[in-house]
Amino acid sequence: MLNLNFYEQPTLDVAQTLLGKVLVRDIEGQRLRGIIVETEAYIGHEDTACHASKGRTPRTEVMFGPAGQTYVYLIYGMYWMLNVVTEAVDFPAAVLIRALEPTSGLEAMSQNRRLKKPTTRVLTNGPGKLCQALQIDDSLNKWDLSRGQALWIEAQHRKTNVEIACGPRINIDFAEPKDRNTPWRFWIKDNPFVSK
DNA sequence: CGCCAGATCCACT
DNA sequence: GTGGATCTGGCGG
């Protein structure tokens, strides 16, 4: 399991190193797992795409806190987003987990998704989808990922020789051009579970 | 396949 | 009151 030292590293390093690692969700003993295949970095006051650039508020407070905690928030009134907080206290930054390649608990994930036509491909290939599949909501906000309960990330890579691609972040039209263009979205090249 | 309306609610001006 | 780090199903080609 990844410890707090890992999450204290520079956010761009964490965002890329997380690719290929396994996110684990434990629900009363049943474990749902997926390999992280897509991430995005949100870094500091200057990054207008980062919620914390608007200042320290009750919602963004967790991003100013210690690394290794989750930042889970609601978007569009119905989808949860899972982030892991990075870097030092008082430096607000996080990595958004955008997509997983599901590896265990596929049947439970499929039920959680409540789709008309559930397919493996669409179970966790988006930030809102993966939270729905893994039953992640605000009850897991500010969760310590080093506790080894309910939600954590394994230390070892599941994929070897991972080729990483990068590009601009998705759906941040509200941000300034300099931040819209910054290539802070990372994914495993050619992986079929990357979003879009 | 692409396009898009609609869903739904909390944080914060 | 406004709008968002999204997604689904329905419709047309």
Side-chain angles (χ1 to χ4, degrees), chain A residues 26-172:
Chain A
D26 185 298
I27 304 170
E28 297 174 350
Q30 182 179 25
R31 291 190 176 176
L32 312 182
R33 292 187 180 84
I35 302 168
I36 298 170
V37 299
E38 183 183 356
T39 59
E40 276 178 1
Y42 290 85
I43 310 177
H45 300 88
E46 310 298 317
D47 176 10
T48 59
C50 179
H51 290 165
S53 68
K54 304 280 190 278
R56 201 188 270 243
T57 68
R59 185 173 68 147
T60 63
E61 180 66 27
V62 64
M63 272 201 280
F64 291 80
Q69 293 198 265
T70 59
Y71 167 39
V72 177
Y73 69 92
L74 183 69
I75 189 66
Y76 300 114
M78 64 187 86
Y79 294 106
W80 298 99
M81 299 284 112
L82 171 65
N83 298 255
V84 304
V85 174
T86 55
E87 312 226 20
V89 169
D90 290 332
F91 186 95
V95 173
L96 171 68
I97 309 298
R98 282 195 60 88
L100 303 175
E101 174 181 330
T103 55
S104 31
L106 291 263
E107 194 167 322
M109 291 186 198
S110 186
Q111 289 175 7
N112 293 337
R113 292 277 285 119
R114 302 171 188 285
L115 289 173
K116 228 171 191 180
K117 286 180 51 186
T119 62
T120 301
R121 221 196 97 69
V122 301
L123 280 185
T124 54
N125 66 336
K129 298 177 191 179
L130 72 92
C131 284
Q132 190 177 44
L134 299 192
Q135 288 184 25
I136 293 168
D137 57 25
D138 61 340
S139 69
L140 281 172
N141 189 25
K142 302 182 182 178
W143 186 259
D144 182 348
L145 291 169
S146 69
R147 285 187 62 182
Q149 298 172 27
L151 187 67
W152 67 91
I153 301 173
E154 299 287 1
Q156 66 273 25
H157 270 262
R158 181 67 72 90
K159 288 192 175 298
T160 53
N161 300 325
V162 171
E163 189 174 352
I164 297 176
C166 70
R169 292 169 292 179
I170 304 290
N171 288 332
I172 53 163

Side-chain angles (χ1 to χ4, degrees), chain A residues 2-17:
Chain A
L2 291 171
N3 58 30
L4 298 184
N5 294 336
F6 174 84
Y7 299 104
E8 289 167 356
Q9 298 176 95
T11 306
L12 293 179
D13 292 347
V14 174
Q16 292 169 79
T17 311

